[in-house]
Amino acid sequence: MPRLLGFDVPTLQTIVDHGADEAIVAMLDVVPDAHWLKLFDERVAALKGELGLAGVELDGTSILFFGSIADSRRLATAVSALINAINMEVAGHTDPFQPTAP
């Protein structure tokens, strides 16, 4: 299962241009398998809505988050919780992911 290694946070913009802006990148230690990716895809929509993200993409060991988020710590906390919840479920624990409160 992938572990979160850290984040690369560029200068955040007030207005998001999904095609031109740099993403906030969550770096994983390994490429997630198909089951992990399926769970991620099922749960990331709630995170996108909660944080007002314009887009989320996976690229190998990187998860790219596009959005004008003023509070990158909040994003980091939510992404860490999401990754941990998915890993717990893959490991056999069945508690569904609950996004962190704002």
Side-chain angles (χ1 to χ4, degrees):
M1 289 178 283
R3 287 183 307 125
L4 180 62
L5 297 176
F7 291 90
D8 181 18
V9 182
T11 303
L12 301 178
Q13 307 299 319
T14 304
I15 298 174
V16 178
D17 180 348
H18 183 78
D21 289 344
E22 291 183 72
I24 297 171
V25 180
M27 297 169 286
L28 305 174
D29 64 338
V30 297
V31 176
D33 67 17
H35 179 61
W36 195 96
L37 290 172
K38 180 180 181 294
L39 294 172
F40 179 83
D41 286 342
E42 290 172 358
R43 289 159 179 78
V44 77
L47 186 65
K48 283 174 61 176
E50 177 187 335
L51 296 175
L53 295 168
V56 177
E57 299 174 11
L58 263 97
D59 183 18
T61 59
S62 298
I63 305 172
L64 311 172
F65 296 91
F66 296 91
S68 56
I69 299 172
D71 186 356
S72 58
R73 284 188 199 152
R74 184 170 170 225
L75 173 66
T77 299
V79 170
S80 294
L82 175 63
I83 291 169
N84 289 335
I86 293 169
N87 286 345
M88 293 291 285
E89 188 168 337
V90 170
H93 303 283
T94 57
D95 294 336
F97 170 68
Q98 297 294 322
T100 56

